[in-house]
Amino acid sequence: MDTIVVAALYQFKAVADASALQQNLKALCKEQQILGTLIVANEGINGTVSGSRQAIDVLHHFLLAQGFDRMEYKESFAPEHTFKRLKIKLKKEIVTLGVHVDPRETVGTYLQPKEWHEFIQQPDVLVIDTRNDYEFVTGTFEGAIDPQTKTFGEFPNYVQEHLKDAKDKKIAMFCTGGIRCEKSTSYLLQQGFKEVYHLKGGVLNYLAEIPSEESLWKGECFVFDRRVGVAHGVDLGHTRMCFGCGHPLFEGDIEHEHYEEGVSCQHCYLQTTPEQKARFRMRQSQKARK
């Protein structure tokens, strides 16, 4: 029976004292033995955490009491904690785009999963994956465009270089939980694009609502925790991760000559030094003894 609740949440909301909120969240999460990452900024809160049913309920009620009453909030379940530690970060942005936008004022048109499912099948719609390149290879929607970005901060450059002639087209964007598209759609509208849409609640919401036999999603959805990938129904997937570089790994990758569990894979073998590999081997051996 699943015993751990995994809560993914965000909300853009003016925070009067982000530092105080950070400290209060740190104390609460430690007390409740919650693990994961929460990012706090003057523009709101974002993160994914795991904990017991009671612990996550305590956190949820605390955030509601702080005025985060319109959170994009989703739960899934796992047999154990999906994170190793707790991080409560204070940053300038809750998701880093690097240019000023305000999704509270201007944002694209939300599409619920069923609306999205029908909309992206129209031939005149450009479907753009706003996630990073390693997330794209784990899974994506049929026909989606891969901007080949390594960080979300590269997205504005992609728009300027590749979408400058698409301002009159229908643009449909998606990401894991919805937060990146709050900013990417706001940015496109700011740049003069006319019709900009995004998937409400992101891929996780789509996988939770659309049956696998009807789905336009291919592969698994990369998540930034021990699960690595989730499948339809937000169930645990089969994707693994290289703990040397964090790149997702598939069945054939495990057989590659440069794969060494906990140390390296074909994507990072030539990028790490012998000293780094030695440290990774030590870490792996310590993990194996636990």
Side-chain angles (χ1 to χ4, degrees):
M1 179 178 179
D2 292 333
T3 58
I4 295 296
V5 181
V6 184
L9 59 94
Y10 75 84
Q11 183 178 338
F12 287 95
K13 176 187 177 301
V15 177
D17 191 340
S19 180
L21 178 59
Q22 177 202 26
Q23 295 306 314
N24 290 335
L25 283 169
K26 187 178 295 185
L28 183 150
C29 290
K30 285 184 176 180
E31 178 185 342
Q32 296 296 324
Q33 298 183 315
I34 292 172
L35 301 179
T37 300
L38 290 173
I39 299 171
V40 180
N42 292 332
E43 67 177 8
I45 190 169
N46 173 35
T48 306
V49 293
S50 63
S52 68
R53 173 77 274 166
Q54 178 181 341
I56 296 300
D57 286 345
V58 169
L59 173 62
H60 194 185
H61 292 149
F62 171 79
L63 291 172
L64 290 173
Q66 300 300 307
F68 291 100
D69 53 0
R70 295 186 177 182
M71 283 186 290
E72 186 66 46
Y73 181 89
K74 293 178 292 297
E75 290 186 352
S76 55
F77 303 92
E80 59 183 359
H81 269 292
T82 56
F83 298 94
K84 294 182 179 179
R85 57 185 65 87
L86 173 68
K87 298 178 183 178
I88 311 294
K89 300 180 180 181
L90 184 64
K91 292 192 172 185
K92 292 182 179 180
E93 299 180 72
I94 57 175
V95 59
T96 304
L97 182 62
V99 298
H100 177 71
V101 295
D102 190 349
R104 292 169 298 176
E105 294 184 0
T106 306
V107 73
T109 301
Y110 294 104
L111 295 176
Q112 295 294 340
K114 290 182 180 179
E115 296 174 309
W116 171 269
H117 184 82
E118 298 299 326
F119 187 76
I120 65 172
Q121 295 184 65
Q122 298 179 25
D124 60 340
V125 174
L126 288 180
V127 183
I128 300 175
D129 192 332
T130 67
R131 303 170 308 150
N132 300 334
D133 50 7
Y134 56 88
E135 297 172 82
F136 181 90
V137 299
T138 306
T140 193
F141 284 104
E142 290 181 11
I145 296 170
D146 176 15
Q148 299 182 343
T149 53
K150 296 190 180 299
T151 68
F152 188 45
E154 296 176 8
F155 189 74
N157 287 336
Y158 167 77
V159 173
Q160 297 302 323
E161 294 176 9
H162 299 281
L163 296 182
K164 58 185 178 181
D165 297 324
K167 291 187 176 180
D168 293 322
K169 294 184 178 294
K170 295 177 183 177
I171 308 290
M173 293 188 286
F174 66 93
C175 55
T176 306
I179 187 170
R180 292 188 195 184
C181 292
E182 300 275 1
K183 284 199 169 182
S184 63
T185 60
S186 183
Y187 177 71
L188 259 63
L189 291 170
Q190 179 179 290
Q191 296 300 307
F193 286 76
K194 302 295 190 297
E195 292 189 69
V196 184
Y197 303 83
H198 52 139
L199 174 58
K200 178 73 170 174
V203 178
L204 296 179
N205 199 24
Y206 183 90
L207 294 180
E209 292 198 16
I210 303 298
S212 59
E213 60 271 18
E214 300 176 15
S215 178
L216 299 174
W217 180 265
K218 300 302 178 184
E220 295 179 359
C221 179
F222 184 92
V223 290
F224 294 88
D225 58 51
R226 288 182 177 181
R227 294 172 297 173
V228 185
V230 295
H232 284 87
V234 201
D235 292 329
L236 183 65
H238 300 287
T239 306
R240 297 175 65 178
M241 178 190 291
C242 171
F243 289 98
C245 66
H247 200 283
L249 301 175
F250 310 103
E251 186 175 353
D253 297 328
I254 307 300
E255 306 302 322
H256 196 278
E257 62 178 332
H258 288 160
Y259 175 73
E260 183 178 347
E261 185 176 3
V263 179
S264 66
C265 71
Q266 62 189 13
H267 304 287
C268 68
Y269 183 83
L270 297 177
Q271 276 69 53
T272 54
T273 66
E275 291 76 17
Q276 287 175 312
K277 291 183 178 68
R279 289 202 306 272
F280 296 160
R281 289 189 185 99
M282 178 65 70
R283 178 186 62 187
Q284 184 65 19
S285 65
Q286 291 171 344
K287 177 182 175 183
R289 288 197 295 267
K290 290 182 179 179

